[in-house]
Amino acid sequence: MKIEEVKSTVKTQRISSHSHIKGLGLDENGVPIPVAAGLVGQEEAREAAGIVVEMIKSKRMAGRAVLMAGPPGTGKTAIALAMAQELGSKVPFCPMVGSEVFSSEIKKTEVLMENFRRAIGLRVKETKEVYEGEVTELTPVETENPMGGYGKTVSHVIIGLKTAKGTKQLKLDPSIHESLTKEKVEVGDVIYIEANSGAVKRQGRSDTYATEYDLEAEEYVPLPKGDVHKKKEVIQDVTLHDLDAANARPQGGQDILSMMGQLVKSKKTEITDKLRMEINKVVNKYIDQGTAELVPGVLFIDEVHMLDIETFTYLHQALESSIAPIVIFATNRGRCEVRGAEDIISPHGMPLDLLDRLLIIRTLPYDKNEMSQILKLRAQTEGLSIDNDALVQLSHIGANSTLRYAVQLLTPANLTAKVNGRTTIAKEDVIEVSTLFLDAKASSKILSQHKDKYMK
């Protein structure tokens, strides 16, 4: 008898620089736990970030901005991403880098405004007429093909729906049969069918089947209450940029649903201010009616010193808009020139009038002990085994160069350990790879010593 192992079809999780970040690591009183949620140290910065998150959640932060300032490799981006984790998936989070604004396709200010609009969500609440319940019967009725031949076509579908209050049998159009097939609906599933559009939404498996042995993980939902035919509130989340892009080439009505229904992939074109003003009017109308709610999200601009005086002036004006997100800047620069205005030297390379608007959060360099804990976390995230002596050696290298460089040595050290017949990274492996590669300081020292041998 031949037995084959079934390989998992689950995609391998990609690991990035901040895959280990799960939140800010604060306790119930907002006090930072020294090592928690993938973050180590930076306790004052994390506590300050926690206060900003609470202000965002209580909707008292719109149109304001925060600056994360500190030397390279001190966790500025990590804390910003941790704030996004704390806010949850329902709050838009739009990351960008300062150099992105210098595009050959569209204006600098247009790139900024596009990302501003991506960071502002709109939660649309609609009351729809639906048929909802647990599927008790699903029978496609076939008939002879009117075009002739031997094949048969589905003339209609008989479906039975059950709720806690009663049951109903429906005769549906064959086009809905295609939707049912696409959603993989079967007897025992809880679904709803929109009365007007015929759209089908599978909500999960009825919890009466929860005791069944099932190889696949299922989401079980309770049996719906009330009548099968009812009015149900449906919530949809979009961003203002989605509405802008959908209406750049209008194809239908001007109501909010038409806007969302017109999302199409098109060539990158600038969206006019006039169109944005019209969309803002429609959005404000729906907010006033109570059918939509504005959700100010977060725009994270890393390497903010890369922006120039023109974009800083535009940012200043955009932050004063009635519809503005929360903006988080990050920079590793000290006192330097403001780009585009060579005669102005300013802290962090930002104009003083914009700095006056900011809450500034400072990040500090890590000590050896904190570096060791971060390196241990990174090794666990990357699935690497490392002993304590190797961790001490790596943290010593990080203290003399940078934490980023020490993290970069983890994978080469692991490969060296395998070549040496070990499954765990040892101190010898770290020493070996550190002699093969140079950090920025060592490279700079060699350049200064042998400058006559290099081209200028």
Side-chain angles (χ1 to χ4, degrees):
M1 184 186 287
K2 187 180 178 184
I3 299 174
E4 289 185 15
E5 186 178 335
V6 178
K7 291 182 180 178
S8 172
T9 56
V10 178
K11 289 183 181 177
T12 307
Q13 182 71 37
R14 289 182 65 192
I15 297 169
S16 68
S17 304
H18 300 101
S19 295
H20 60 290
I21 305 298
K22 307 298 177 194
L24 285 169
L26 307 175
D27 65 17
E28 63 274 7
N29 298 317
V31 178
I33 302 162
V35 182
L39 290 176
V40 176
Q42 303 296 354
E43 293 177 24
E44 285 183 4
R46 283 158 59 198
E47 187 172 353
I51 293 169
V52 172
V53 166
E54 287 305 312
M55 288 169 73
I56 295 169
K57 284 180 178 176
S58 60
K59 298 181 182 177
R60 293 178 184 174
M61 191 73 191
R64 300 194 197 182
V66 175
L67 173 64
M68 309 285 298
T74 53
K76 297 181 294 295
T77 307
I79 291 172
L81 293 173
M83 290 169 75
Q85 294 272 13
E86 293 283 349
L87 289 167
S89 58
K90 294 292 182 187
V91 177
F93 183 83
C94 178
M96 67 172 285
V97 181
S99 55
E100 279 181 39
V101 302
F102 302 100
S103 163
S104 58
E105 290 184 346
I106 54 178
K107 292 185 299 198
K108 295 178 282 190
T109 52
E110 175 62 22
V111 176
L112 271 180
M113 181 48 74
E114 211 171 270
N115 283 297
F116 253 70
R117 308 273 289 182
R118 277 197 180 99
I120 302 167
L122 190 70
R123 190 161 295 151
V124 186
K125 290 177 277 188
E126 293 179 282
T127 303
K128 293 187 175 181
E129 194 179 331
V130 299
Y131 293 93
E132 183 183 39
E134 179 195 320
V135 179
T136 55
E137 178 191 357
L138 185 58
T139 313
V141 178
E142 294 182 332
T143 186
E144 295 296 329
N145 193 334
M147 306 298 290
Y150 296 102
K152 290 188 175 183
T153 60
V154 175
S155 64
H156 60 273
V157 182
I158 301 293
I159 188 167
L161 294 176
K162 179 177 79 172
T163 65
K165 199 171 180 180
T167 59
K168 198 178 278 281
Q169 194 178 56
L170 308 173
K171 182 180 177 181
L172 304 174
D173 191 78
S175 62
I176 298 178
H177 178 251
E178 291 173 19
S179 301
L180 290 165
T181 309
K182 193 176 176 183
E183 286 278 320
K184 297 178 182 175
V185 173
E186 56 185 54
V187 173
D189 289 347
V190 175
I191 66 166
Y192 71 77
I193 303 166
E194 290 182 17
N196 295 333
S197 63
V200 177
K201 173 71 178 172
R202 182 182 182 273
Q203 294 172 284
R205 195 104 176 112
S206 173
D207 58 7
T208 53
Y209 292 83
T211 54
E212 280 188 3
Y213 178 74
D214 198 342
L215 289 174
E216 292 186 9
E218 270 284 4
E219 185 182 345
Y220 293 98
V221 293
L223 188 69
K225 297 174 183 177
D227 296 315
V228 172
H229 187 198
K230 67 180 83 169
K231 288 188 176 179
K232 182 181 176 74
E233 192 176 80
V234 179
I235 297 173
Q236 290 174 295
D237 288 295
V238 290
T239 67
L240 294 188
H241 178 69
D242 293 336
L243 303 183
D244 294 342
N247 285 268
R249 292 181 178 179
Q251 297 172 350
Q254 289 299 305
D255 64 324
I256 213 94
L257 289 177
S258 298
M259 290 180 180
M260 286 186 284
Q262 292 162 22
L263 294 174
V264 288
K265 286 184 180 178
S266 59
K267 190 182 174 186
K268 199 153 184 77
T269 53
E270 288 191 23
I271 296 158
T272 63
D273 287 337
K274 187 180 176 183
L275 175 65
R276 287 198 175 109
M277 284 172 69
E278 289 299 315
I279 288 169
N280 287 353
K281 280 181 188 174
V282 176
V283 167
N284 286 328
K285 186 179 86 174
Y286 277 84
I287 291 167
D288 291 342
Q289 289 173 357
T291 56
E293 177 193 357
L294 207 63
V295 184
V298 175
L299 173 60
F300 174 55
I301 306 178
D302 209 351
E303 309 292 344
V304 69
H305 53 266
M306 293 299 292
L307 299 179
D308 62 11
I309 192 73
E310 183 186 341
T311 47
F312 280 128
T313 306
Y314 185 78
L315 265 176
H316 205 282
Q317 176 261 324
L319 280 168
E320 291 176 347
S321 166
S322 58
I323 299 178
I326 299 95
V327 183
I328 300 175
F329 301 116
T331 182
N332 54 25
R333 299 297 167 97
R335 290 185 64 82
C336 61
E337 288 181 353
V338 178
R339 190 170 178 172
E342 284 72 20
D343 56 330
I344 301 174
I345 304 289
S346 183
H348 314 299
M350 298 175 73
L352 287 172
D353 57 344
L354 182 59
L355 278 171
D356 280 344
R357 296 183 65 97
L358 308 180
L359 293 170
I360 301 174
I361 298 174
R362 183 186 176 204
T363 57
L364 301 168
Y366 293 106
D367 60 31
K368 272 190 186 180
N369 182 43
E370 288 170 340
M371 280 191 185
S372 179
Q373 290 173 316
I374 292 166
L375 288 162
K376 190 176 181 180
L377 272 171
R378 285 304 305 167
Q380 287 171 355
T381 305
E382 294 180 29
L384 308 177
S385 178
I386 183 167
D387 67 25
N388 286 332
D389 289 343
L391 271 176
V392 170
Q393 183 63 29
L394 265 179
S395 55
H396 178 72
I397 291 168
N400 291 335
S401 55
T402 64
L403 174 61
R404 285 175 180 165
Y405 175 68
V407 170
Q408 295 296 335
L409 290 179
L410 275 171
T411 305
N414 184 52
L415 293 172
T416 305
K418 284 181 180 176
V419 169
N420 294 333
R422 285 188 286 268
T423 55
T424 301
I425 300 168
K427 182 179 178 180
E428 296 78 27
D429 304 315
V430 174
I431 293 169
E432 187 177 337
V433 293
S434 65
T435 58
L436 296 173
F437 300 101
L438 296 174
D439 63 273
K441 286 180 184 175
S443 181
S444 179
K445 189 177 179 182
I446 289 168
L447 285 174
S448 60
Q449 286 173 348
H450 305 282
K451 59 185 175 184
D452 55 319
K453 295 180 182 178
Y454 289 88
M455 291 181 70
K456 290 184 179 177

